[in-house]
Amino acid sequence: MTKVDPVTFEIIRHKLYSVMDEAIIALENVSGSPITNEGHDLMASLYKADGGLMVGGVGFLHHLTSAAQAVKHILQTYSDDPGIDEDDVYFLNDSYTAALHPPDVYLISPIHFQGRLTGFAANFVHVTDIGAIDPGGFSPSARDNYQEGFQSKGLKLVEGGRMRRDVLDTFLNMVRDPGMTQLDLKSQLAANHVAKQRMLELYEDYDVDVVETVSEELIRQSEQLVRNRLSELPDGEWRVREYIDMPGANAKVELTATKEGDTLTYDFTGSSPQVELGVNCSYWATWGGLFAPIFPLLAWDVTWNEGVTRPIRLIAPEGTIVNCIRPAPISIATVGTIQIVNNLSTLVLSKLFGASERYAHRSTAVWHGSHAHVETHGFTAEGEFFVAPLTDTFCGAAGARAFADGVDMGGEIPNIVSRWANAESQELNTPIRYLFRRAVPDSGGPGKYRGGVCHEYAFTPNGANEVGLVLFGKGTRAPMSLGIFGGYPGCNVGYTTFRQANVHELPDRLEELRGSEQFDQFWGTLELHDGDVQYVRFMGGGGYGDPLDREPELVLRDVLAGLVTDGPARDIYGVVVAAGSVDGDATRARRRELRAERLGRPLEAADERSDVPRTGKRLAEYLQRTASDATQCTWCGTEVAPAGTDWKDHAVLRRLPVEETGPNRTVAGEFFLIEAFCPGCATLLDAELAAGDDPPLHDRVRSWPDA
């Protein structure tokens, strides 16, 4: 292997990142599509000549690994026929091959230098339309994959630098908005062209062998750094689950993460079978979904490349919702099961961090647990067809962290450049008018640290007699922005349609909206006519730690800011606010009362956390293992469980209806929190989601690296 001096190594490393930055700029600025030029649903990266991820760019992180599979598929399948030649570009969007769902189009450009294949530039964009049964690419009406639009395992879109008109016309003939969709493709071609040109300049300046040596060393370093970090974390098993609420049914996604030495295995055994609605995801979609949190949480200071993936293993039983078999529909996967995989990956990583004194500060609750997507379509007043998503769903809400509250309306973990269009930009591209966009009080999950609050909005047609909507929300019944270590989930998603509403009164909140008819529809299609209003509410971030452990002054700050109301302040946080300040005596009394309710008996005062000596065998925020291997509460020092037993079997358990964790939570009676309290001080040690009589899940830490 060619030797490279340290200075040259660093120069090339930074130039590789610059290549990706320039490609992203091209991707965002060439397209006329709102979802692309606002920088939402896209990604660009560089890949080695064998298809391995060389340098991951910014964007939706699910695609870094699935695009690698797309490149490898093109190599394995088409190298001989029709060939991978200089200045070719391949098109791929088949979800059972590599893509996440049909509207996510990958364009893959081989890079040749002096006649030699040296690598690939690849990107994806969620294109404007894909010709499915429903406009826009998400298809809640589809009952199998064949109704979900144009799908290809690989087409040569550009051959020898010339666009293949036959291929382009065939594709555009299948979509509802060929003009905007073609602009999407042009933005992708521009991005790959920029990446190729910059790489060719890099090869010319430093030689191919030098650049390849740097990229191979970066991959080796990333693998070693991730293995080293895993070795610094405890060994054990951590289990989590979430539920997908669909019309008339629910599905479960269950994950057991096993960390052993320098490897981490994700096992989704126990997840529901695939379903007839498009929330399913393929194996490669699950693979991409689990890495979206791994990159920023576990490998935050590591070059994102193939090396990060090598210590990770995936078990996803075939025929389940996380590894479906064609013709199961998959068009809603990205905001369906893939997002649930994101959530669960975040939680198991945070539990793993939470069992480490060194990395406990990395723990976080779930961010933006459910997209509440709205796709619009129809004809403008000028008679032009349009199809466009509303970008509000990218606003997000950050989960609470081990050291601070979640950021209000603070994005989501899988998209590190997450942002949403301002109202004027959205109204410019879509014939609608916003009535309001506002933060939702009490939407953040309560905890020692509060989850970020989400927003809500309402809009009405403007400049069109009617606007068609495609709705495919989840989380209207099942909480998805789950808390951690006793933190509660954020609020549920909400959709309400008002017919012939009081638009002329300019209502600026849900409580002021009225109509001749109103109904809640979160799945399927509907038409908004002149004077109708569609309302949407998102999910706040999950909370971290016991709400009774929150500093009263922080609760007061939230009340004064309108982020928490008086009722939850008193009944969940146990903080009594009077005349704009905390009533200290009433707050202490209220918190003692709530602790007594938890145990069903009076208990001695537990107003302050005791100074319990640390053993170095941390289990979670309020738990540790003692020298005798008993499980101990670190709030009060009580031995919760003897050695060799699961601590939840000895804790005080309560099944709490989700609606009791704050306003705008489900009242369907389907979902509960299994609360586990310390029998000594009633501290809330854990609050996990369950449906019906599902049993508690047990985490098991086997060893600590420094203990």
Side-chain angles (χ1 to χ4, degrees):
M1 184 174 289
T2 304
K3 288 188 176 181
V4 182
D5 66 85
V7 173
T8 302
F9 183 92
E10 285 302 309
I11 291 173
I12 294 175
R13 182 172 72 89
H14 284 285
K15 283 183 177 289
L16 288 171
Y17 280 116
S18 296
V19 171
M20 289 297 88
D21 291 342
E22 291 188 52
I24 286 289
I25 290 170
L27 197 57
E28 292 182 5
N29 286 283
V30 172
S31 174
S33 169
I35 198 169
T36 301
N37 62 25
E38 288 290 345
H40 306 295
D41 208 347
L42 48 82
M43 180 279 302
S45 293
L46 292 171
Y47 296 84
K48 301 187 301 174
D50 64 2
L53 177 61
M54 181 193 302
V55 177
V58 296
F60 260 112
L61 301 181
H62 321 75
H63 296 274
L64 295 182
T65 51
S66 57
Q69 176 60 22
V71 175
K72 292 174 182 177
H73 168 77
I74 296 298
L75 271 169
Q76 293 166 3
T77 310
Y78 302 118
S79 289
D80 295 329
D81 181 13
I84 301 173
D85 301 313
E86 194 163 348
D87 294 329
D88 288 349
V89 179
Y90 273 89
F91 172 118
L92 183 150
N93 73 324
D94 180 63
S95 302
Y96 287 93
T97 301
L100 302 189
H101 66 157
D104 286 349
V105 169
Y106 293 120
L107 289 194
I108 300 165
S109 299
I111 303 172
H112 291 80
F113 183 74
Q114 297 178 352
R116 169 186 165 193
L117 178 63
T118 57
F120 293 84
N123 64 57
F124 101 92
V125 161
H126 179 118
V127 297
T128 302
D129 190 67
I130 203 67
I133 189 172
D134 296 317
F138 293 104
S139 302
S141 301
R143 292 300 178 267
D144 63 48
N145 181 233
Y146 304 116
Q147 298 174 317
E148 295 182 313
F150 185 92
Q151 295 163 72
S152 172
K153 294 183 175 183
L155 284 174
K156 189 178 284 194
L157 179 65
V158 176
E159 187 168 23
R162 295 186 60 187
M163 180 77 76
R164 288 192 56 186
R165 186 65 180 269
D166 56 343
V167 175
L168 178 65
D169 285 356
T170 298
F171 171 57
L172 295 180
N173 188 54
M174 296 291 293
V175 303
R176 293 175 176 84
D177 193 339
M180 292 298 291
T181 305
Q182 186 171 4
L183 278 174
D184 291 331
L185 296 181
K186 286 184 175 180
S187 73
Q188 295 182 261
L189 290 169
N192 278 1
H193 176 74
V194 168
K196 283 177 57 179
Q197 291 304 114
R198 298 299 178 266
M199 288 302 295
L200 292 175
E201 292 169 7
L202 204 56
Y203 294 145
E204 191 70 48
D205 291 343
Y206 294 94
D207 190 73
V208 172
D209 291 340
V210 172
V211 176
E212 288 185 345
T213 296
V214 172
S215 64
E216 289 294 340
E217 175 60 17
L218 287 172
I219 290 170
R220 188 201 67 78
Q221 287 181 3
S222 293
E223 178 181 1
Q224 191 59 54
L225 288 168
V226 171
R227 289 190 185 277
N228 290 348
R229 181 153 294 149
L230 288 170
S231 297
E232 294 167 348
L233 292 163
D235 284 351
E237 295 178 354
W238 291 267
R239 299 182 65 197
V240 288
R241 65 183 166 216
E242 282 201 346
Y243 304 85
I244 305 175
D245 47 349
M246 299 168 290
N250 299 315
K252 179 173 66 175
V253 183
E254 189 164 316
L255 169 61
T256 299
T258 301
K259 187 266 163 179
E260 187 171 4
D262 63 357
T263 63
L264 179 62
T265 300
Y266 281 50
D267 185 351
F268 287 92
T269 300
S271 298
S272 294
Q274 63 192 49
V275 297
E276 67 172 9
L277 298 177
V279 298
N280 304 289
C281 63
S282 66
Y283 178 91
W284 293 112
T286 296
W287 179 249
L290 68 89
F291 273 102
I294 285 176
F295 285 122
L297 294 181
L298 181 67
W300 73 91
D301 56 352
V302 175
T303 301
W304 294 345
N305 57 34
E306 182 182 314
V308 178
T309 70
R310 290 175 178 172
I312 312 300
R313 304 289 181 269
L314 169 62
I315 299 170
E318 193 172 58
T320 64
I321 199 168
V322 294
N323 184 8
C324 59
I325 303 170
R326 187 176 258 134
I330 38 72
S331 65
I332 304 174
T334 51
V335 296
T337 300
I338 294 174
Q339 192 174 21
I340 298 298
V341 172
N342 295 160
N343 297 346
L344 297 183
S345 183
T346 298
L347 286 174
V348 293
L349 289 172
S350 293
K351 285 187 170 189
L352 179 55
F353 293 140
S356 164
E357 295 286 357
R358 180 174 181 177
Y359 289 106
H361 66 284
R362 300 292 301 176
S363 295
T364 181
V366 173
W367 298 38
H368 188 44
S370 178
H371 282 282
H373 205 76
V374 175
E375 192 88 29
T376 66
H377 64 274
F379 291 90
T380 66
E382 294 76 24
E384 294 184 0
F385 180 79
F386 71 91
V387 53
L390 301 189
T391 60
D392 287 78
T393 192
F394 295 103
C395 173
R401 297 154 290 171
F403 57 89
D405 292 348
V407 179
D408 298 327
M409 294 173 283
E412 56 180 329
I413 283 179
N415 190 352
I416 58 174
V417 293
S418 182
R419 57 191 188 271
W420 49 319
N422 60 47
E424 292 79 10
S425 176
Q426 191 75 66
E427 290 170 345
L428 177 66
N429 289 286
T430 317
I432 65 168
R433 175 162 57 93
Y434 283 96
L435 296 175
F436 58 82
R437 271 175 163 178
R438 61 193 304 274
V440 180
D442 300 313
S443 58
K448 176 182 180 179
Y449 296 110
R450 172 183 55 77
V453 302
C454 65
H455 83 289
E456 60 187 351
Y457 69 98
F459 66 93
T460 188
N462 184 43
N465 291 327
E466 65 180 34
V467 173
L469 303 183
V470 181
L471 308 176
F472 39 92
K474 65 185 191 307
T476 60
R477 304 192 312 273
M480 294 176 182
S481 287
L482 299 186
I484 192 168
F485 302 143
Y488 284 161
C491 70
N492 283 88
V493 165
Y495 287 87
T496 304
T497 306
F498 295 84
R499 296 297 190 195
Q500 293 305 297
N502 55 329
V503 175
H504 64 284
E505 298 177 8
L506 298 180
D508 68 356
R509 61 194 64 225
L510 175 63
E511 293 76 15
E512 295 180 1
L513 277 169
R514 300 186 305 278
S516 61
E517 176 190 4
Q518 72 178 68
F519 54 90
D520 300 337
Q521 178 179 337
F522 71 95
W523 193 277
T525 61
L526 61 86
E527 301 291 332
L528 280 191
H529 304 283
D530 187 36
D532 294 345
V533 170
Q534 180 64 45
Y535 164 83
V536 181
R537 182 184 65 247
F538 296 93
M539 279 190 172
Y544 179 100
D546 187 349
L548 295 186
D549 193 15
R550 186 164 176 79
E551 289 292 335
E553 291 301 321
L554 294 180
V555 178
L556 173 64
R557 181 198 65 185
D558 287 346
V559 170
L560 296 179
L563 301 176
V564 172
T565 57
D566 287 342
R570 179 187 62 251
D571 298 331
I572 296 176
Y573 291 104
V575 174
V576 179
V577 176
S581 63
V582 174
D583 185 328
D585 291 340
T587 293
R588 282 187 289 274
R590 180 60 177 149
R591 287 188 162 183
R592 290 174 186 172
E593 180 182 9
L594 290 173
R595 287 183 182 271
E597 288 178 4
R598 290 173 168 184
L599 299 186
R601 58 174 173 80
L603 73 164
E604 296 181 5
D607 299 329
E608 302 292 338
R609 192 166 187 166
S610 301
D611 186 17
V612 178
R614 296 292 177 170
T615 65
K617 296 181 177 181
R618 181 184 166 105
L619 294 171
E621 174 66 20
Y622 304 111
L623 292 171
Q624 67 178 359
R625 194 77 55 78
T626 66
S628 63
D629 281 339
T631 300
Q632 181 184 39
C633 171
T634 57
W635 177 276
C636 67
T638 295
E639 182 179 299
V640 176
T645 63
D646 291 315
W647 67 265
K648 285 183 184 177
D649 290 339
H650 300 270
V652 176
L653 301 184
R654 179 175 71 177
R655 300 180 78 86
L656 184 74
V658 169
E659 60 263 32
E660 295 187 27
T661 63
N664 295 318
R665 271 68 172 178
T666 181
V667 293
E670 298 174 88
F671 300 101
F672 300 82
L673 292 183
I674 301 177
E675 296 182 301
F677 303 112
C678 170
C681 63
T683 292
L684 180 53
L685 307 173
D686 191 49
E688 67 176 285
L689 183 65
D693 57 357
D694 280 353
L697 299 175
H698 297 287
D699 300 331
R700 298 184 175 100
V701 181
R702 292 192 295 271
S703 63
W704 290 260
D706 300 324

